[in-house]
């Protein structure tokens, strides 16, 4: 028997689709429902490696955790990783299959993948009670509808009911709901079951007249009004929940355990990937994490992180253009802490030989670590485990660059020279014991009287966040009506809202 399904679409990107999908997954999992998340096509520089060695979007990995399910390539069969404004690496069923321009992808390749996407969804539905699908962008992108495999194209192929999420904090939510509906073809409108208001501030009774008018105009119900709450973003897909010179994820920094706070500056390099690596640092009481793009912002930092990037050579050029490369060299000479992760590790080395990503040939790195990097066509996708600083560590690797480490002290798969560390391992800082040991080293190198908290569990904090998402759905959505949608599909006889798309 095929399990139920629901597609969570949005009036815009960042309307809250990822959060709502995760929240519904956690609500269902707490009810004993065997549930899985799904996103047919994702565009993201934040990715994750499953246990079978497949690369998927990090948002789907976190939604799987919300569902209490093991992440799988089935949950995100197509992942696009931008390499420029006009081209992306296409990852199919967890493995890269080449680079395509936007025109080449939407011109034919995307439509050819619909059978694969629908097949993965049906395989999940065959083994789960429910599959909660996430759309991408808006379902009313009428210029792309013909080749769509993630919004209404998927909904129509799999007969999924569609719930449209709107971010009322941005304003114009009623116009967005109505316009989204009215721009869909009649066959697509038959599947659009209703709406969910996200990020509402204030008295819901003041909103109700508008919801009633929306119902009279469209014949569709609103399935809930979710209040605005800080700090509910899960691992993001295609945008930072930070602004430059802004704190990570609008987080409130807890008081330090020791006498000093620890200031962490993250270089906001172009095509930054897996910037979620620093979330575990931001979770520590007394650690202040900020993204920066100016050399002067490194001056008072106790630790500078050079994060992963989809464009290593481009990031290297950017660091030099902005004076950040010189600032990093000064820090290293002064014995002040620097950590490079993945692409950030590569730029700290002596040379980069790249005929794959940038095709720039041999390029000089910053020379802060005795490492030479050569890019290979085959991508490394792995889930390594090991020990560092006397603590157990596990992580995941996603990179084309192969590092030839020629000296220094061993550090995970990379090395350490003085106060400069480098590794390809993403996620290592989520290991509580290792993170504390690393922060003690950083504090000593920075001359700060900072003490890591003894009881911070990043896993527990993540679970707490996912439970808050489940609470949001349980308390503020019509869960009985949601379950009827998941189990029975869109209501019969939903009216057509003109003019509709051709």
């Amino acid at each position: 028997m095929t399990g139920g399904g629901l597609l969570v679409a949005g009036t815009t990107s960042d309307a809250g689709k990822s959060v709502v999908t995760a929240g519904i997954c956690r609500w269902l999992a707490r009810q004993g429902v065997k549930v899985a998340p799904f996103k047919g096509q994702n565009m993201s520089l934040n990715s994750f490696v499953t246990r079978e060695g497949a690369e998927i979007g990090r948002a789907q990995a976190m939604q799987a955790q919300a569902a209490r399910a093991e992440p799988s390539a089935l949950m995100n069969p197509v992942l696009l990783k931008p390499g420029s404004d006009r081209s992306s690496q296409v990852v199919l069923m967890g493995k890269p299959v080449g680079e395509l321009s936007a025109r080449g992808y939407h011109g034919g390749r995307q439509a050819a993948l619909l059978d694969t996407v629908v097949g993965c969804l049906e395989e999940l539905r065959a083994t789960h009670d429910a599959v909660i699908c996430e759309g991408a962008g808006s379902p009313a992108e009428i210029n792309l509808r013909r080749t769509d495999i993630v919004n209404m194209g998927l909904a129509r192929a799999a007969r999924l009911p569609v719930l449209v999420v709107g971010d009322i904090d941005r304003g114009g939510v009623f116009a967005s709901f109505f316009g989204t509906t009215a721009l869909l073809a009649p066959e697509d409108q038959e599947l659009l079951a209703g709406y969910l208001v996200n990020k509402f501030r204030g008295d819901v009774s003041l909103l109700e007249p508008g919801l009633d008018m929306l119902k009279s105009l469209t014949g569709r119900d609103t399935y809930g009004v979710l209040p605005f709450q800080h700090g509910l973003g899960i691992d993001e897909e295609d945008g930072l929940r930070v602004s430059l010179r802004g704190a990570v994820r609008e987080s409130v920094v807890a008081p330090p355990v020791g006498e000093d706070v620890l200031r962490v500056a993250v270089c906001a390099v172009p095509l930054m990937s897996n910037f979620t690596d620093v979330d575990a640092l931001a979770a520590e009481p007394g650690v202040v994490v900020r993204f920066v793009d100016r050399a002067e912002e490194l001056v008072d930092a106790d630790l500078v992180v050079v994060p992963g990037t989809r464009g290593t050579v481009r990031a290297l050029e950017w660091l030099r253009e902005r004076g950040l490369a010189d600032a990093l060299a000064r820090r290293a000479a002064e014995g002040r802490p620097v950590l490079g992760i993945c692409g950030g590790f590569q730029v700290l080395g002596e040379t980069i030989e790249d005929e794959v990503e940038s095709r720039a040939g041999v390029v000089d790195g910053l020379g802060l670590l005795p490492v030479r990097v050569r890019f290979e066509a085959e991508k490394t996708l792995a889930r390594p485990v090991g020990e560092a600083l006397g603590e157990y560590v596990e992580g995941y690797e996603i990179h084309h660059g192969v590092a030839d480490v020629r000296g220094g002290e061993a550090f995970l798969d990379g090395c350490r020279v003085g106060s400069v560390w480098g590794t390809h391992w993403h996620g290592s800082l989520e290991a509580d014991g290792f993170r504390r040991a690393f922060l003690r080293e950083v504090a000593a190198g920075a001359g700060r009287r900072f003490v890591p908290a003894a009881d911070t569990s990043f896993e527990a904090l993540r679970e707490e966040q996912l439970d808050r998402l489940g609470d949001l759905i349980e308390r503020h959505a019509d869960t009985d009506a949601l379950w009827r949608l998941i189990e029975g599909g869109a209501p019969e006889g939903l009216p057509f809202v003109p003019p509709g798309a051709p």
Side-chain angles (χ1 to χ4, degrees):
M1 181 179 175
T2 299
L6 175 69
L7 175 67
V8 178
T11 55
T12 62
S13 292
D14 204 31
K17 297 183 295 291
S18 296
V19 165
V20 168
T21 300
I24 294 174
C25 284
R26 177 48 59 100
W27 160 63
L28 288 173
R30 292 195 306 207
Q31 309 307 309
V33 175
K34 187 178 182 184
V35 59
F38 180 80
K39 184 157 186 171
Q41 172 196 294
N42 193 352
M43 178 172 280
S44 178
L45 286 171
N46 278 342
S47 58
F48 180 79
V49 179
T50 68
R51 294 201 182 280
E52 68 265 27
E55 184 179 8
I56 66 172
R58 269 198 71 97
Q60 279 61 66
M62 289 302 297
Q63 288 163 353
Q65 184 171 347
R68 297 178 178 148
E70 183 66 33
S72 161
L74 291 173
M75 297 173 180
N76 181 206
V78 182
L79 173 64
L80 306 178
K81 302 193 72 175
S84 70
D85 290 340
R86 296 192 174 187
S87 68
S88 294
Q89 182 181 68
V90 181
V91 179
L92 179 63
M93 295 304 294
K95 304 295 180 183
V97 294
E99 297 272 341
L100 275 180
S101 67
R103 180 177 291 275
Y105 183 68
H106 290 288
R109 181 63 187 270
Q110 183 183 31
L113 293 173
L114 180 60
D115 286 346
T116 299
V117 169
V118 173
C120 289
L121 173 58
E122 291 308 312
E123 191 170 340
L124 285 174
R125 293 179 76 177
T127 55
H128 291 79
D129 302 322
V131 178
I132 308 304
C133 308
E134 180 187 345
S138 162
E141 305 288 358
I142 54 177
N143 56 316
L144 303 176
R145 175 62 184 88
R146 183 178 59 83
T147 58
D148 171 50
I149 64 174
V150 67
N151 290 309
M152 301 312 299
L154 175 65
R156 201 191 295 187
R159 302 309 298 171
L160 292 170
V162 178
L163 183 70
V164 178
V165 178
D167 180 355
I168 197 169
D169 198 48
R170 296 182 174 192
V173 75
F174 292 116
S176 297
F177 283 146
F178 182 86
T180 297
T181 309
L183 279 176
L184 299 181
E187 296 84 356
D188 290 343
Q189 287 195 27
E190 289 175 5
L191 297 170
L192 199 164
Y195 315 105
L196 187 74
V197 176
N198 192 28
K199 300 183 186 176
F200 180 71
R201 305 174 193 247
D203 185 345
V204 175
S205 67
L206 298 177
L207 189 66
E208 288 171 351
L211 300 178
D212 291 341
M213 283 187 274
L214 183 66
K215 172 69 180 284
S216 67
L217 288 166
T218 68
R220 288 159 174 84
D221 291 324
T222 297
Y223 285 73
V225 177
L226 308 185
F228 185 97
Q229 291 188 20
H230 285 282
L232 285 185
I234 65 171
D235 294 6
E236 304 303 322
E237 295 183 352
D238 53 5
L240 286 168
R241 295 197 79 250
V242 303
S243 57
L244 292 179
R245 293 169 293 282
V248 173
R249 296 179 188 273
E250 305 164 334
S251 58
V252 178
V253 179
V257 175
E259 297 179 49
D260 288 341
V261 299
L262 208 63
R263 297 174 176 85
V264 179
V266 184
C267 297
V269 296
L271 298 174
M272 182 164 44
S273 62
N274 288 72
F275 51 80
T276 48
D277 281 330
V278 299
D279 282 357
L281 296 178
E284 283 285 346
V287 175
V288 182
V289 180
R290 299 173 72 84
F291 286 80
V292 304
D293 63 348
R294 299 186 304 214
E296 55 268 30
E297 292 176 296
L298 304 190
V299 174
D300 66 347
D302 302 308
L303 168 67
V304 174
V305 177
V306 188
T309 172
R310 173 81 167 85
T312 301
V313 171
R314 181 175 167 186
L316 187 57
E317 294 169 348
W318 182 87
L319 290 168
R320 287 182 167 132
E321 289 167 358
R322 291 177 171 263
L324 289 159
D326 290 339
L328 289 168
R330 286 194 297 272
R331 286 187 68 89
E334 295 165 1
R336 302 175 66 202
V338 175
L339 171 65
I341 302 174
C342 200
F345 165 41
Q346 295 167 5
V347 305
L348 298 180
E350 296 170 352
T351 59
I352 299 169
E353 182 181 345
D354 181 12
E355 298 293 348
V356 175
E357 193 174 77
S358 67
R359 297 181 173 84
V362 178
V363 176
D364 288 335
L366 299 186
L368 305 184
L369 291 174
V371 176
R372 296 182 184 179
V373 176
R374 184 185 70 261
F375 274 64
E376 299 283 1
E378 184 174 350
K379 181 185 283 190
T380 297
L381 296 169
R383 289 279 293 269
V385 297
E387 185 177 299
L389 304 179
E391 299 287 346
Y392 173 81
V393 193
E394 58 183 67
Y396 57 99
E397 295 183 62
I398 306 169
H399 54 91
H400 285 280
V402 176
D404 177 12
V405 179
R406 300 189 167 207
E409 179 184 344
F411 178 69
L412 301 175
D413 70 317
C415 65
R416 171 188 181 179
V417 174
S419 62
V420 180
W421 292 267
T423 177
H424 276 126
W425 290 21
H426 295 290
S428 63
L429 294 168
E430 295 178 15
D432 298 329
F434 169 71
R435 182 180 64 254
R436 293 180 195 121
F438 176 71
L439 289 176
R440 282 192 289 269
E441 293 265 350
V442 168
R448 293 287 184 188
R449 290 170 294 183
F450 170 84
V451 178
D455 58 353
T456 300
S457 166
F458 186 72
E459 180 69 14
L461 289 171
R462 178 179 278 166
E463 279 293 307
E464 180 184 303
Q465 183 185 44
L466 294 173
D467 276 331
R468 290 176 64 201
L469 294 179
D471 292 344
L472 202 65
I473 297 298
E474 193 167 329
R475 296 171 185 172
H476 301 283
D478 185 343
T479 53
D480 288 341
L482 274 180
W483 180 247
R484 287 194 296 273
L485 273 188
I486 293 167
E487 195 173 39
E492 295 288 337
L494 291 170
F496 172 68
V497 179

